[in-house]
Amino acid sequence: MTYETEVGDIVAIQSGLADFWSNAHGWAPVDGATLLASARLDWTPSLARSLHRWGQPAVLPDGDLILAWANLGSILESSLRLFLSVYITDYNNSAEDLAAIDAIQRRGVNRGKHYPPDELMFEKIRQLLSRREIFAANELEMIGFIQSRRNAIHSFHHREIGDAEEFRATVLRHRLFIASLAARLPYPVDFGWLDLAGRIWPTTYLSFRLPPSVHRRWRCLNQLRSGTS
């Protein structure tokens, strides 16, 4: 499969997620459905389509690469907020973990309450997912990696941005991850895009291999993060 084809799969799954969960009253918990109804889930499929921009040329200029990582990071962050909002009851029962990662509001009328998923910073989301062991270790590694590369959008200070090969390999990895995430959410009926997610995951997921150069960078970042935590 080509990069363009696999980005098309991401678009299809992200579109399905946005269409269903933006109007989930009567299926999702009331507070989760209300949160999702007010979210701009419709932006996520459009952001997914923008991934097509980064398929060429073979070498991306630094500015394009920074924007590409910001593009992918925004899609991932929105998808994780969606996941936490669907499982809002479990999220609300994570008070001890939310306190441990300092996700507690300190000012105003909501002082002492934990932040809702739509207000939680990306780094806090990553920490919560890690503490709760919600995703597999390699999925958490990918989340941290994309977050780190995405942060290059704050471009005043030096940050690693990798190269186009690394970015495109990570986009294909996101295809597998979003299929896994979609398949782990509850639905009242089956959908064509959900069937697509089921075909991608877990069979393709289990056989996926990163290019060696990309795998080394992921491993080094994970070791660095572990050493500074």
Side-chain angles (χ1 to χ4, degrees):
M1 297 180 69
T2 66
Y3 175 86
E4 295 297 325
T5 300
E6 301 210 10
V7 168
D9 289 343
I10 295 173
V11 173
I13 295 171
Q14 299 279 182
S15 297
L17 289 170
D19 289 345
F20 180 79
W21 292 108
S22 62
N23 186 25
H25 283 285
W27 181 249
V30 173
D31 45 355
T34 300
L35 192 158
L36 290 167
S38 64
R40 291 307 307 262
L41 297 182
D42 58 311
W43 282 352
T44 312
S46 183
L47 284 164
R49 293 185 189 94
S50 292
L51 293 174
H52 286 296
R53 297 175 178 269
W54 319 117
Q56 295 292 334
V59 177
L60 292 173
D62 286 351
D64 286 354
L65 194 54
I66 290 169
L67 292 175
W69 284 116
N71 186 175
L72 182 60
S74 180
I75 296 168
L76 175 60
E77 184 176 5
S78 178
S79 300
L80 294 174
R81 291 183 193 278
L82 165 63
F83 186 89
L84 294 177
S85 298
V86 172
Y87 289 114
I88 191 70
T89 302
D90 295 299
Y91 178 85
N92 290 335
N93 289 334
S94 303
E96 183 177 340
D97 290 308
L98 290 166
I101 64 173
D102 194 23
I104 306 299
Q105 303 186 55
R106 299 186 179 278
R107 299 177 182 176
V109 296
N110 292 320
R111 182 175 180 176
K113 296 182 180 179
H114 58 255
Y115 283 101
D118 61 326
E119 297 181 20
L120 206 59
M121 294 176 60
F122 198 164
E123 171 61 13
K124 300 298 183 183
I125 293 174
R126 186 195 66 78
Q127 291 180 27
L128 177 63
L129 296 174
S130 180
R131 287 184 64 88
R132 300 289 289 181
E133 298 182 339
I134 293 174
F135 296 108
N138 60 340
E139 293 175 315
L140 292 170
E141 181 183 47
M142 183 209 72
I143 290 168
F145 184 82
I146 293 176
Q147 178 208 13
S148 175
R149 291 293 192 252
R150 183 216 61 165
N151 286 345
I153 196 67
H154 309 296
S155 56
F156 190 76
H157 297 290
H158 174 74
R159 296 179 188 272
E160 293 296 330
I161 60 174
D163 54 30
E165 177 196 28
E166 178 183 79
F167 172 77
R168 292 174 188 131
T170 309
V171 168
L172 303 188
R173 180 66 178 79
H174 174 76
R175 170 181 175 266
L176 308 180
F177 177 75
I178 197 60
S180 168
L181 183 148
R184 293 174 60 177
L185 297 177
Y187 304 91
V189 294
D190 198 4
F191 299 97
W193 58 269
L194 190 57
D195 181 60
L196 170 64
R199 293 198 306 271
I200 294 172
W201 180 86
T203 53
T204 307
Y205 178 82
L206 293 174
S207 64
F208 182 76
R209 295 292 183 272
L210 284 169
S213 60
V214 177
H215 180 73
R216 284 194 296 272
R217 286 190 285 260
W218 281 26
R219 187 173 64 246
C220 288
L221 177 66
N222 189 51
Q223 291 171 346
L224 178 62
R225 189 184 299 277
S226 300
T228 56
S229 60

